[in-house]
Structures are given as structure tokens and as C-alpha cells.
Amino acid sequence: MTLAIFLALASTSAHAFPFQSETIDCSSEEAFKQSFERIAENESKVDTTAILFGTIQMLYANLPPERRARLYEGGGPVDNPFLNVAQSLEYAYETDFHLSLSDVKEYVRENGLTEMAAQWIAEREAEEAKKE
């Protein structure tokens, strides 16, 4: 019986296979890009954007304060994940940092980032419509 269950699970699609640990690979720019291409194939535009926002915030949390951007020379670090994306990614590349997609999705849920992403997308689309 156990073998039959395992074979049934193994015959499901790869992204649904319960033993596969989906990660967001931050070891290089290309790996990061490929991770989000895979996510975009399986998630809606809003969910993909929310996952990106969550990833940015989680990478920022991993970034040492001394590596954070400065508002001006000699000033204190800028305490904003979205103004520290380059620094966060650079540090992630250096440390071969990986995030579990399930951890990021939980972070997204806990912090209301899906709503934030939907609003951000709606604002961008409204701006584009005004240009046309």
C-alpha cells in the first residue's frame, strides 16, 4: 500500500511533488532570475510580485547593517529594503544564500504583501494607461 501511495505521488507533476524543496536561489544573478521565471510559470502576476517583495525584505533582513546603503556619505544606513536591493542581492551572491519558497510565501501571508503587490500593480497599470 505504501509503495502505491509513493508511486501515485511520484506520477504527479514535479512542482506538486511533496518531497521537492523549492528554493529561491540567490547564488548568482542568473540563478535568481531563473528562480523567478519558475515562480512566474506557477503563480499569478500578483502572487509572483508579492513573492518578489517578500524575497527583497527577507534578503534585507539577512544584510549586515554595515553593508546597507547610506543616504549620504557618512550618514547612517537607509532602513528600507527596497532601497537596498542591490546591496542585499550582492551579499546574497557572496554568501550563496537560498530561501525556501514556502518560507517566503508564509512571510508574504503574515505581512500582507499580496495586497501590497496588487496595489502596486494596479498603480503601474494606471500609469501605463495614462501614457497611452
Side-chain angles (χ1 to χ4, degrees):
M1 182 66 171
T2 304
L3 180 60
I5 293 170
F6 181 79
L7 290 174
L9 289 173
S11 67
T12 62
S13 64
H15 69 273
F17 194 68
F19 304 112
Q20 180 182 356
S21 176
E22 183 78 31
T23 62
I24 299 172
D25 185 348
C26 303
S27 62
S28 70
E29 184 176 344
E30 186 59 31
F32 187 76
K33 181 181 172 189
Q34 288 175 356
S35 292
F36 272 90
E37 287 171 352
R38 280 192 318 273
I39 291 167
E41 290 173 1
N42 297 308
E43 303 287 344
S44 70
K45 183 177 183 179
V46 170
D47 288 338
T48 299
T49 303
I51 291 167
L52 178 61
F53 287 172
T55 300
I56 289 169
Q57 291 182 15
M58 292 176 82
L59 288 173
Y60 175 76
N62 183 55
L63 183 65
E66 65 273 8
R67 297 285 300 265
R68 294 180 180 165
R70 307 247 177 241
L71 195 52
Y72 55 89
E73 189 64 36
V78 176
D79 191 26
N80 183 324
F82 298 99
L83 296 177
N84 279 275
V85 172
Q87 294 83 353
S88 296
L89 283 171
E90 181 180 289
Y91 187 71
Y93 301 157
E94 291 171 11
T95 59
D96 196 24
F97 193 70
H98 291 70
L99 290 169
S100 157
L101 182 58
S102 61
D103 288 347
V104 176
K105 285 182 173 183
E106 184 168 330
Y107 182 89
V108 165
R109 276 190 299 278
E110 290 173 355
N111 292 282
L113 297 180
T114 301
E115 295 79 14
M116 180 182 168
Q119 180 180 356
W120 186 84
I121 290 169
E123 289 169 0
R124 300 293 101 38
E125 289 174 349
E127 288 174 11
E128 285 298 314
K130 286 180 185 177
K131 291 178 184 177
E132 294 176 356

